[in-house]
Amino acid sequence: MSQMIRQLLPGLRAVLVFTVLLGLAYPLLMTGIAQLAFPHQANGSLQTVDGRSVSTVLGQQFTGAEWLQPRPSEAKDAENENDPGYNGLYSAGSNLGPNSEELVTGIDQRRADVARANGVPPDQVPADAVTASSSGLDPDISPAYAELQVNRIATARGVPAATVRNAIAEGSRAPMLGFLGQPRVNVSEVNLALARG
C-alpha cells in the first residue's frame, strides 16, 4: 500500500502543479497582457448602436430599413422559435446540403424578401444575402450586398446615398495582405457610422 502511495504522489503533485500553472496562472497572465495591450479587443470590441451594445467581430441583428442588414444566421436556439439568430451560444450553420429542399426553399424566400425590401430584381441579390455563414456569426458582407442596400437605407434615413456610401467605406476592408480572402464590409462598423450621422 505504501509503495502505491509513493508512486501516486509524484503524479498527483504534477497534476496539481500543471493545473495551477496552465489552468490558473497562464490564463490570468494572458488576460492581463490582453487587457493592458488591447483592452478594446479583449473586451469583445463592443460599441453602442441605437442604445444597445454590439460587437464588431460577431454578426448582429439590426431591425429596420435604416440599418445595413447582415447575412442570415442559423446560430439560434432550435427550441426557441423567437430566437432571431446571431446567438453565440448556438454558433453553427444549418448543415443542410445542396440537394435539401428546405435549403432551396429558404434561399428562394430570402432572395424574394431581400429583392422586395431593396427594390431590385431577384437575380441581382448576391449569394451572401441569402445564405448563412458556417458559424452563423459572420460580421461581414460582400461589397455587392452593401451597395444593394444603399438606396433603401438612404430613403429610410432621409439622407443622400453618398452619406450611406461613406459609412460603407468606413466599414470596408480589403483582402488581408492584398490577396488573402475577399473584400468585405463589416455590418456593425457601418451601422456605427450611420448612428453617428
Side-chain angles (χ1 to χ4, degrees), residues 73-94 135-137:
S73 175
E74 295 294 334
K76 54 186 162 191
D77 183 354
E79 296 176 13
N80 179 0
E81 291 181 15
N82 297 322
D83 189 342
Y86 309 97
N87 187 333
L89 295 174
Y90 302 99
S91 173
S94 69
S135 70
L137 299 172

Side-chain angles (χ1 to χ4, degrees), residues 91-189:
S91 173
S94 69
N95 292 328
L96 298 175
N99 295 327
S100 167
E101 193 66 37
E102 182 182 345
L103 178 67
V104 172
T105 302
I107 288 173
D108 289 344
Q109 181 61 51
R110 288 181 193 137
R111 179 172 284 116
D113 292 345
V114 170
R116 185 173 42 258
N118 292 287
V120 298
D123 64 346
Q124 289 184 9
V125 175
D128 64 315
V130 296
T131 56
S133 66
S134 59
S135 70
L137 299 172
D138 190 350
D140 302 321
I141 61 174
S142 67
Y145 185 28
E147 179 61 32
L148 181 85
Q149 300 180 62
V150 167
N151 290 332
R152 172 184 48 79
I153 296 167
T155 301
R157 289 185 169 271
V159 299
T163 301
V164 178
R165 285 192 178 93
N166 288 339
I168 289 172
E170 280 188 47
S172 295
R173 302 289 177 266
M176 288 175 47
L177 303 176
F179 67 94
L180 293 174
Q182 300 292 320
R184 61 203 183 282
V185 177
N186 184 292
V187 173
S188 295
E189 289 180 12

